[in-house]
Amino acid sequence: MSKVYFMFSSQQANLRKEVEGFKYTPGKVLVNGKYKQYTEIVSDPDKATYPDAIVVASGEKSRMIYRK
């Protein structure tokens, strides 16, 4: 199975809020008993869409608990 990275970018979140309005909410992934927001899931953190993206969680996608 392949490892995935849950990334959060404030640039991406702000842009999507401007474009989509109130309908947009970032996804959430469970990390150590708490949900953290993410804006995209990638297979390589170096290929994140936005340069300010940080890794909030990583692991096998099938074993992660997350909401879109």
Side-chain angles (χ1 to χ4, degrees):
M1 300 206 173
S2 61
K3 189 173 188 176
V4 295
Y5 298 87
F6 292 82
M7 311 290 291
F8 180 81
S9 164
S10 52
Q11 285 180 349
Q12 184 177 20
N14 291 336
L15 179 63
R16 290 190 64 184
K17 283 178 186 175
E18 285 178 24
V19 173
E20 297 177 33
F22 291 108
K23 291 188 280 183
Y24 174 70
T25 55
K28 294 182 180 182
V29 60
L30 190 62
V31 180
N32 296 326
K34 294 184 178 183
Y35 279 99
K36 291 193 174 188
Q37 293 183 335
Y38 72 90
T39 53
E40 69 179 327
I41 302 172
V42 296
S43 58
D44 181 357
D46 293 329
K47 295 183 180 178
T49 308
Y50 291 83
D52 72 329
I54 59 167
V55 176
V56 292
S58 64
E60 293 179 17
K61 192 172 183 179
S62 63
R63 305 190 102 211
M64 303 296 287
I65 299 172
Y66 64 99
R67 302 178 191 167
K68 293 184 180 180

